[in-house]
């Protein structure tokens, strides 16, 4: 069951960011139902090794957290994707600016977002990638 008051509150806050009411409600409902998002920046540092290690676990064993990155000097509203396995956390990438700008504003207004690992793609000589499912908590 969806929390309609939370959806309406989120849509009203999104409408103040420049979206029309109709667009804001569509985005809020899509976020409540869950959106599949692609994680960017997975090739930096040792993230490929971390994602390769994540393949050894079930998708349900990997906890995904979206965190607002305040240390980035170039963009204010970038969301980090943090993967946690057995109590150990690692930043495995970032959400693209097209979606993180909107989602960070939603998080700044007090709406909690939860993430779940949906799929690990790539391998066999190719770079790994991640797809996550994000929705309102």
């Amino acid at each position: 069951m969806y929390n309609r008051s939370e959806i309406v509150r989120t849509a009203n806050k999104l409408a103040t960011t420049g979206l029309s009411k109709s667009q804001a409600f569509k985005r809020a409902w899509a976020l409540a139902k869950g959106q599949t998002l692609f994680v960017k920046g997975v090739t930096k540092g040792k993230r490929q090794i971390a994602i390769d290690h994540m393949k050894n676990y079930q998708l349900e064993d990997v906890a995904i957290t979206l965190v607002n990155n305040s240390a980035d000097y170039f963009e204010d509203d970038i969301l980090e994707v943090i993967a946690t396995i057995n109590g150990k956390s690692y930043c495995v990438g970032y959400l693209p600016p097209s979606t993180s700008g909107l989602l960070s504003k939603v998080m700044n207004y007090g709406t909690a977002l939860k993430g779940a690992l949906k799929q690990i793609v790539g391998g066999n000589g190719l770079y790994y990638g991640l797809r996550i499912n994000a929705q309102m908590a």
Side-chain angles (χ1 to χ4, degrees), residues 6 12 30 42 67 122:
E6 184 72 20
N12 286 332
V42 294
V67 178

Side-chain angles (χ1 to χ4, degrees), residues 84-121:
T84 305
I85 304 171
N86 296 332
K88 295 183 181 180
S89 300
Y90 191 75
C91 175
V92 291
Y94 298 91
L95 292 181
S98 59
T99 56
S100 68
L102 182 70
L103 293 179
S104 68
K105 289 180 179 125
V106 168
M107 290 176 70
N108 289 341
Y109 291 131
T111 302
L113 297 177
K114 64 179 180 179
L117 182 62
K118 187 170 184 177
Q119 186 180 19
I120 297 175
V121 296

Side-chain angles (χ1 to χ4, degrees), residues 2 8 13 25 27 30-31 33-34 52 67 71 82 85 107:
Y2 300 113
V8 170
K13 294 296 183 181
F25 271 94
R27 296 259 174 107
L31 189 56
K33 292 177 183 177
D52 186 42
V67 178
I82 307 291
I85 304 171
M107 290 176 70

